């Protein structure tokens, strides 16, 4: 069965009750989660039950080797992840025989995280698990849980291969969540082609995080990449250090945070009618901290119902209160604020997600087509920010506003809530500061320590300490990757900042759901990046609110996924004819190919693995394959970390800036043969983005259909990519500092793609009017890559693209968008199915952008190998109009 209800709706209790009952009855339980953080959180909850017969333990990469034997022999509730199940538990199933014989329940928590290629791998791992259970005569029940699964029953069947019952009714109580869509302002700086540069989402996130922590608002800031999370924390900490330095300590300077008791200004209750944002005058606002950065609100506000364009600005709201101790901020060109208060029986969608930039395009004079980069395993990083908590403002009124009564219930542990002050601007994002502050801090210099970063790669004990500090309020602000997106109990959060669209509606709702998890009202702010999809959503909030989450795309039958798992299954237990239905309809064909390649041997009893190597090493379930590249500090020989080989070309190339636990390093040398990247400590004021060129050839066309005046195709392609240079950008401003050449070998990828063509009769009139067809196609390609994640459960880093005025295989103007994973991941196929909606949204995203000739918010890509040349914004609009017009 699959339980698909909102965040904090009691899903954990729903599967925990039968799980504990199974353990008390002598059975065992296997709990699977995508992240170690969630497993550790669940273990803490289990131990708090204090049930002697419940022997719960984690079994993951953080488990000491001396404890693993005890877990195998004695634990009856094992919490692990797909990686350990794939590499350790299933290959050594005989050592787990006692556990498997008594296995009653398999819990797959936060199952919406299993999508794309990773989800396809997990689907095959679960099939191998079912096979191992059958070996020991157990038939466990599978319980799946997700806050944001679309068509949960269908998804559950594809993931497990089993029939699936659904539980989707959510009657849990919830507080109101105020949503704000925040678009950073354009600056006076100019990037490639003279395009205006927008202030980065991470810089905005750092300022907001610092302000919120100063206002005693416990905040989580989601940032797209590890580097971004580190940078946001560092920047916010620096801002708080400035605040602490500017205020010499006296007994009157007190921080608004009290660990044991806080006076609060509760947010006024909103009626159920406010579920319709268009009926509201605006979300509840709060006082801005006088010590925080000044933000001038957006000159235009957008409500949920209308879909405004850049040419129709709404009257600008009044400015927020100025901050005497920090820098002034330019007004945001567009802010959209929406509030939603669901009834007790109404479920607010909640989810999870990432971003990527399109791939390079070939130069005008080059015979290669214009291209846009496919996926990289890491997200683009914007300048980060850090936040902290600051002293209480001296000029704060001594009494609360009549509009915001102060809760004074004795003995309660109050939390600051947003308040609506009549005198305040409806665009202010600051929250009310409690009237009384009851705790003095001995040293204001400790103020920056109220903010920290959290991401994968930290030591397990460090991650657990950070999680505990956030729950207890020792840390008031945490900049994190999506490592804290899934289900971790961080109750007590007041606000969530989302720096850049997380890739899917599912991820957006999942991240927003981290705030207000104990039933309190909450604030969620989506800060738009310089990206076509972010721009589209800020100007078209109706595409985000009131829409179902995306269907979860995975393809367990992908031969590049299925083949390695068939080898692993044969190594665990020889495959027989009876096993073929478990692995899907393409199993027989893939087995024949594996036998022909010498990977398996066919005997009368079945298929056998005969090689000395570990079969599980064939499947890299999270990475892109290849041996990992070790990142080593050249001066000390210290191993800092590792990067998978495909990502090394874009993240640790020579000259790249590499961040590790708050430290900045410059990559001196990338040696692919030795598998080492040598780095040295550095403090540059810029960041780097790799750029590549791509060529593509069509291997086969599986489907075709008319699309307006053109034709839409889906099929198999071969993509050749080569990183040729890297772009330097100023850390805080995003200003381009130049392009440096690189010499790295090309990489070849066989995958699936969707592409559209236009006949000469349709494009000739455009050329006659002076439109640069190559630049128009290139611009449309960049924008369409940015918008596909709105229709397929993917991230921009999961896909790439190529465009050309005249492609060798089609003889026509052609634009490709392809999956960036070997064999495909289902994203391009989803684009083929939703082509009209997808390309219509692409056209609207370009139209919505207020720039003149194109910028990163609409058609430019930081990873374009052609330096974003040629690009024709108006031509792209005309080209898409021609494509989408009826014949």
């Amino acid at each position: 069965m699959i339980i698909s209800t909102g965040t904090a709706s009691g899903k954990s209790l729903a599967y925990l009750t039968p799980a504990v009952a199974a353990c008390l009855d002598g059975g065992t339980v296997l709990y699977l989660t995508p992240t170690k953080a969630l497993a550790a959180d669940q273990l803490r909850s289990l131990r708090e039950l204090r049930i002697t017969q419940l022997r719960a333990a984690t079994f993951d990469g953080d488990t000491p080797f001396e404890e693993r034997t005890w877990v195998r022999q004695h634990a009856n509730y094992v919490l692990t992840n797909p990686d350990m199940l794939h590499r350790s538990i299933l290959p050594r199933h005989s050592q787990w025989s006692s556990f498997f014989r008594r296995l009653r329940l398999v819990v797959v928590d936060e199952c919406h995280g299993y999508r794309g290629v990773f989800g396809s791998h997990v689907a095959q791992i679960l099939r191998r698990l079912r096979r191992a259970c059958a070996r020991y005569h157990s038939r466990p029940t599978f319980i799946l849980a997700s806050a944001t699964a679309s068509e949960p029953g269908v998804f559950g069947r594809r993931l497990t291969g089993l029939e699936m019952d659904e539980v989707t009714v959510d009657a849990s109580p919830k507080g109101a969540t105020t949503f704000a869509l925040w678009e950073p302002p354009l600056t006076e700086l100019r990037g490639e082609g003279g395009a205006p540069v927008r202030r980065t989402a991470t810089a905005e996130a750092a300022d907001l995080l610092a302000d919120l922590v100063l206002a005693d608002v416990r905040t989580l800031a989601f940032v797209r990449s590890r580097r971004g999370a580190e940078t946001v924390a560092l920047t916010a900490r620096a801002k708080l250090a400035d605040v602490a330095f500017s205020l010499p300590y006296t007994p009157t300077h007190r921080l608004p945070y009290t660990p044991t008791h806080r006076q609060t200004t509760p947010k006024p209750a909103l009626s159920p009618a406010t579920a319709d944002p268009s009926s509201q005058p605006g979300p509840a606002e709060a006082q801005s901290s006088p010590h925080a950065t000044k933000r001038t609100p957006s000159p235009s506000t957008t409500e949920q119902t209308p879909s405004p364009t850049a040419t129709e600005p709404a009257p600008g709201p009044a400015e927020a209160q100025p901050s005497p101790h920090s820098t002034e901020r330019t007004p945001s060109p567009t802010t959209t604020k929406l509030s939603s208060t669901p009834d007790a029986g109404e479920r607010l969608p909640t989810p999870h997600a990432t971003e990527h930039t399109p791939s390079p395009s070939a130069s005008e004079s080059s015979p290669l087509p214009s291209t846009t980069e496919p996926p990289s395993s890491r997200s683009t990083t914007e300048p980060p920010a850090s936040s902290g908590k600051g002293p209480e403002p001296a000029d704060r009124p001594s009494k609360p506003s009549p509009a915001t009564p102060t809760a004074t219930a004795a003995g309660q542990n109050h939390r600051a809530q947003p308040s609506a002050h009549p005198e305040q601007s409806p665009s202010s994002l600051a929250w009310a500061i409690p009237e009384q502050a009851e705790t003095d801090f001995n040293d204001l210099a400790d103020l920056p320590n109220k903010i920290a970063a959290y991401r994968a790669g930290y030591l397990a004990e460090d991650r657990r300490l950070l999680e505990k500090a956030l729950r207890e309020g020792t840390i008031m602000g945490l900049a994190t990757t999506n490592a804290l997106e899934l289900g971790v109990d961080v109750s007590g959060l007041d606000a969530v900042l989302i720096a850049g669209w997380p890739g899917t509606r599912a991820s957006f709702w999942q991240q927003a759901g981290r705030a207000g998890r104990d039933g309190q009202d909450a604030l969620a702010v989506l800060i738009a990046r310089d990206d076509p999809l972010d721009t589209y959503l800020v100007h078209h909030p109706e595409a985000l609110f009131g829409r179902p989450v995306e269907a979860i795309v995975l393809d367990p039958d992908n031969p590049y996924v299925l083949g390695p798992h068939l080898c692993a299954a044969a190594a665990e237990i020889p495959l027989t004819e009876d096993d073929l239905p478990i692995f899907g309809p393409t199993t027989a064909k893939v087995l024949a190919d594996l036998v022909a390649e010498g990977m398996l041997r066919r005997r009368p009893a079945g298929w056998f693995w005969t090689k000395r190597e570990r079969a599980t090493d064939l499947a890299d379930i999270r990475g892109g394959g290849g041996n990992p590249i070790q990142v080593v500090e050249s001066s000390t020989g210290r191993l800092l970390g590792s990067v998978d080989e495909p990502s090394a070309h874009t993240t640790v190339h020579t000259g790249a800036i590499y961040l590790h636990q708050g430290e900045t390093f410059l990559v001196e040398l990338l040696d692919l043969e030795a598998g080492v990247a040598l780095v040295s400590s550095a403090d540059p004021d810029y960041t780097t983005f790799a750029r590549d060129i791509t060529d593509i050839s069509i291997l086969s066309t599986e489907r075709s259909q008319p699309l307006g005046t053109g034709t839409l195709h889906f099929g198999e392609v071969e993509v050749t990519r080569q990183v040729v240079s890297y772009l330097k950008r100023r850390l805080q401003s995003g200003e381009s500092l130049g392009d440096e050449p690189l010499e790295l070998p090309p990489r070849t990828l066989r995958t699936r793609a969707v592409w559209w063509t236009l006949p000469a009769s349709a494009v000739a009139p455009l050329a006659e009017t002076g439109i640069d067809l190559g630049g128009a196609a290139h611009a449309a390609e960049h924008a369409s890559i940015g918008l596909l994640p709105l229709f397929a459960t993917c991230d921009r880093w999961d896909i790439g693209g190529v465009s050309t005025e005249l492609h060798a295989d089609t003889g026509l103007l052609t634009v490709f968008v392809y999956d960036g994973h070997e064999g495909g991941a289902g994203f391009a196929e989803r684009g083929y199915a939703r082509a009209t909606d997808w390309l219509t949204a692409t056209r609207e995203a370009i139209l919505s952008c207020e720039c003149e000739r194109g910028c990163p918010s609409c058609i430019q890509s930081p990873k374009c190998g052609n330096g974003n040349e040629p690009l024709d914004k108006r031509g792209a609009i005309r080209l898409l109009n021609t494509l989408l017009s009826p014949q």
Side-chain angles (χ1 to χ4, degrees):
M1 65 177 296
I2 180 168
I3 306 169
S4 182
T5 55
T7 53
S9 59
K11 292 186 297 297
S12 298
L13 183 60
Y15 61 69
L16 191 60
T17 303
V20 172
C23 293
L24 296 178
D25 196 33
T28 59
V29 174
L30 183 66
Y31 173 91
L32 291 176
T33 172
T35 64
K36 296 176 185 176
L38 184 51
D41 185 70
Q42 288 290 317
L43 179 64
R44 178 182 57 83
S45 299
L46 289 166
R47 287 178 173 171
E48 287 175 353
L49 297 176
R50 300 184 181 277
I51 299 175
T52 306
Q53 300 95 318
L54 185 64
R55 299 183 299 277
T58 55
F59 191 85
D60 55 31
D62 293 340
T63 306
F65 283 95
E66 57 272 17
E67 293 182 15
R68 297 188 181 190
T69 301
W70 184 93
V71 175
R72 285 196 300 268
Q73 296 177 353
H74 301 290
N76 57 7
Y77 196 119
V78 174
L79 303 98
T80 187
N81 51 56
D83 309 76
M84 290 297 286
L85 188 60
H86 165 62
R87 292 191 172 274
S88 180
I89 296 176
L90 291 176
R92 298 179 176 87
H93 59 85
S94 60
Q95 299 177 9
W96 291 81
S97 58
S98 175
F99 182 86
F100 279 130
R101 283 192 186 96
R102 298 178 292 129
L103 186 60
R104 304 279 184 83
L105 201 65
V106 176
V107 178
V108 185
D109 202 2
E110 302 293 354
C111 61
H112 59 268
Y114 303 125
R115 58 184 176 85
V117 173
F118 177 48
S120 302
H121 279 291
V122 173
Q124 293 298 344
I125 292 170
L126 293 179
R127 285 157 173 78
R128 287 164 50 199
L129 172 62
R130 290 170 49 203
R131 204 167 154 261
C133 291
R135 172 67 177 264
Y136 298 100
H137 309 290
S138 65
R139 295 186 60 189
T141 298
F142 281 73
I143 295 184
L144 281 60
S146 169
T148 52
S150 175
E151 300 178 337
V154 175
F155 165 64
R157 283 192 292 273
R158 288 185 65 80
L159 186 64
T160 63
L162 298 169
E163 289 301 313
M164 197 68 48
D165 287 333
E166 299 179 353
V167 176
T168 56
V169 177
D170 183 355
S172 59
K174 290 180 174 63
T177 300
T178 297
F179 288 91
L181 306 185
W182 182 279
E183 185 173 46
L186 291 170
T187 67
E188 296 180 355
L189 300 172
R190 289 293 178 265
E192 292 180 302
V197 175
R198 197 174 294 280
R199 195 166 190 262
T200 63
T202 45
E204 293 284 300
D207 286 353
L208 288 171
L209 181 59
D211 287 354
L212 288 166
V213 170
L214 281 167
D216 192 28
V217 177
R218 201 174 300 178
T219 305
L220 200 60
F222 285 102
V223 190
R224 301 268 320 176
S225 67
R226 294 182 181 186
R227 179 195 290 180
E230 295 274 9
T231 312
V232 166
L234 287 172
T235 307
R237 287 166 66 94
K239 291 181 182 296
L240 292 179
D242 290 344
V243 171
F245 180 77
S246 66
L247 294 171
Y249 177 74
T250 68
T252 60
H253 288 141
R254 298 176 177 178
L255 292 177
Y257 168 64
T258 304
T260 57
H261 179 78
R262 285 188 281 168
Q263 296 286 355
T264 60
T265 308
K267 184 175 179 179
L270 298 177
S271 69
T274 60
D276 177 11
S278 62
S279 66
Q280 296 305 304
E285 304 301 338
Q287 296 177 344
S288 59
S289 166
H291 301 296
T293 306
K294 175 181 177 181
R295 285 181 208 69
T296 311
S298 161
S300 63
T301 54
T302 308
E303 291 186 335
Q304 181 173 352
T305 315
S307 179
T309 65
T311 57
E312 298 173 340
E319 292 189 356
Q321 296 178 5
S323 166
H325 293 291
S326 57
T327 55
E328 178 174 352
R329 257 200 194 149
T330 319
S332 167
T334 310
T335 30
T336 304
K337 310 189 104 190
L338 301 149
S339 62
S340 173
T341 310
D343 291 323
E346 180 182 353
R347 178 164 65 91
L348 207 68
T350 35
H352 121 214
T354 125
E355 164 204 75
H356 51 279
T357 320
S359 158
S361 344
S363 62
E364 251 179 299
S365 58
S366 168
L368 289 176
S370 300
T371 63
T372 299
E373 158 184 349
S376 163
S377 66
R378 297 209 183 206
S379 313
T380 305
T381 303
E382 297 168 287
S386 50
S387 54
K389 187 172 167 180
E392 182 181 12
D395 56 349
R396 182 170 51 77
S398 59
K399 293 184 179 180
S401 164
T404 55
T406 302
T408 57
Q412 291 185 352
N413 193 8
H414 299 294
R415 308 202 341 239
Q417 298 293 332
S419 73
H421 285 269
E423 71 274 15
Q424 282 202 312
S425 142
S427 280
S428 170
L429 292 180
W431 286 38
I433 299 175
E435 181 202 1
Q436 297 179 7
E438 301 184 5
T439 299
D440 291 319
F441 282 80
N442 293 327
D443 190 358
L444 284 175
D446 189 54
L447 184 57
N449 294 331
K450 294 297 170 185
I451 290 181
Y454 181 104
R455 63 171 177 82
Y458 284 178
L459 295 176
E461 52 267 31
D462 292 340
R463 293 196 303 270
R464 301 296 90 80
L465 286 173
L466 285 169
E467 293 160 18
K468 181 180 179 182
L470 184 63
R471 283 193 300 269
E472 295 179 349
T474 308
I475 288 177
M476 291 295 292
L478 201 61
T480 179
T481 60
N482 61 1
L484 285 181
E485 176 180 307
L486 303 176
V488 176
D489 182 9
V490 284
S491 296
L493 291 180
D494 302 305
V496 165
L497 305 175
I498 304 172
W501 175 245
T504 62
R505 294 187 194 93
S507 284
F508 172 75
W509 290 112
Q510 194 74 38
Q511 292 180 5
R514 295 306 95 191
R517 285 177 60 87
D518 59 355
Q520 298 289 335
D521 292 353
L523 171 70
V525 183
L526 172 64
I527 306 167
R529 286 169 310 157
D530 238 359
D531 178 87
L533 181 51
D534 291 46
T535 301
Y536 179 81
L537 291 172
V538 166
H539 292 270
H540 299 82
E542 71 280 358
L544 175 57
F545 298 97
R547 296 287 184 92
V549 297
E550 305 86 348
I552 301 174
V553 178
L554 57 99
D555 182 13
D557 299 326
N558 180 340
Y560 294 93
V561 171
L562 177 58
H565 287 285
L566 289 175
C567 291
E572 292 156 8
I573 307 166
L575 287 163
T576 65
E577 292 284 350
D578 293 339
D579 294 326
L580 302 191
I582 295 177
F583 292 98
T586 62
T587 304
K589 180 181 182 304
V590 175
L591 279 174
D593 293 340
L594 293 172
V595 170
E597 295 170 10
M599 305 297 289
L600 295 179
R601 183 173 298 172
R602 177 73 188 270
R603 298 278 180 80
W607 289 265
F608 292 77
W609 173 256
T610 58
K611 295 185 176 293
R612 293 179 180 272
E613 296 84 0
R614 285 167 48 95
T616 52
D617 291 340
L618 296 174
D620 183 6
I621 70 173
R622 292 185 190 259
N627 294 322
I629 303 298
Q630 306 298 321
V631 182
V632 177
E633 189 173 20
S634 58
S635 59
T636 64
R638 177 170 59 122
L639 177 63
L640 300 179
S642 63
V643 179
D644 60 270
E645 197 269 340
S647 301
H649 289 239
T650 56
T651 57
V652 289
H653 56 77
T654 301
I657 301 302
Y658 179 79
L659 255 66
H660 178 74
Q661 295 190 1
E663 296 182 72
T664 305
F665 297 89
L666 176 67
V667 180
E668 299 175 346
L669 176 67
L670 170 60
D671 189 335
L672 293 172
E673 292 185 2
V676 172
L678 298 177
V679 302
S680 59
S681 182
D683 188 22
D685 63 347
Y686 63 87
T687 187
T688 56
F689 299 88
R691 317 177 84 158
D692 62 17
I693 58 174
T694 308
D695 194 13
I696 192 167
S697 59
I698 299 172
L699 301 180
S700 65
T701 302
E702 298 181 13
R703 275 170 269 169
S704 297
Q705 67 182 34
L707 178 65
T709 56
T711 307
L712 186 72
H713 307 272
F714 171 76
E716 189 175 11
V717 297
E718 184 174 82
V719 181
T720 303
R721 295 178 52 215
Q722 183 176 17
V723 174
V724 295
S725 66
Y726 65 94
L727 175 69
K728 292 181 177 180
R729 277 192 168 180
R730 186 84 64 190
L731 195 60
Q732 289 296 333
S733 67
E735 177 187 7
S736 176
L737 300 178
D739 205 19
E740 300 290 335
L742 288 171
E743 292 185 6
L744 288 168
R747 298 180 57 83
T748 301
L749 175 73
R750 289 173 68 101
T751 185
R752 305 286 184 86
V754 55
W755 65 94
W756 52 268
T757 59
L758 277 173
S761 58
V763 298
L766 299 179
E768 291 171 0
T769 61
I771 288 177
D772 178 359
L773 293 178
H778 191 191
E781 171 224 334
H782 280 188
S784 63
I785 288 175
L787 267 292
L788 183 56
L790 194 61
F791 302 92
T793 311
C794 69
D795 187 86
R796 186 169 179 169
W797 292 91
D798 292 324
I799 51 179
V802 179
S803 61
T804 177
E805 185 176 349
L806 187 66
H807 192 268
D809 294 336
T810 65
L812 302 170
L813 183 148
T814 310
V815 175
F816 295 85
V817 175
Y818 61 88
D819 293 346
H821 300 274
E822 194 74 33
F827 307 135
E829 187 171 13
R830 188 77 180 172
Y832 179 86
R834 299 286 307 275
T836 301
D837 294 338
W838 166 37
L839 294 173
T840 300
T842 300
R843 178 183 60 189
E844 293 302 316
I846 302 173
L847 276 169
S848 295
C849 188
E850 59 201 283
C851 69
E852 287 291 327
R853 300 176 53 198
C855 70
S857 293
C858 56
I859 62 172
Q860 284 193 354
S861 164
K863 304 189 78 175
C864 178
N866 292 78
N868 286 300
E869 289 292 340
L871 288 176
D872 187 339
K873 179 178 177 178
R874 290 194 174 94
I877 296 170
R878 292 280 304 277
L879 191 67
L880 290 168
N881 284 337
T882 301
L883 174 68
L884 296 169
S885 63
Q887 292 183 345

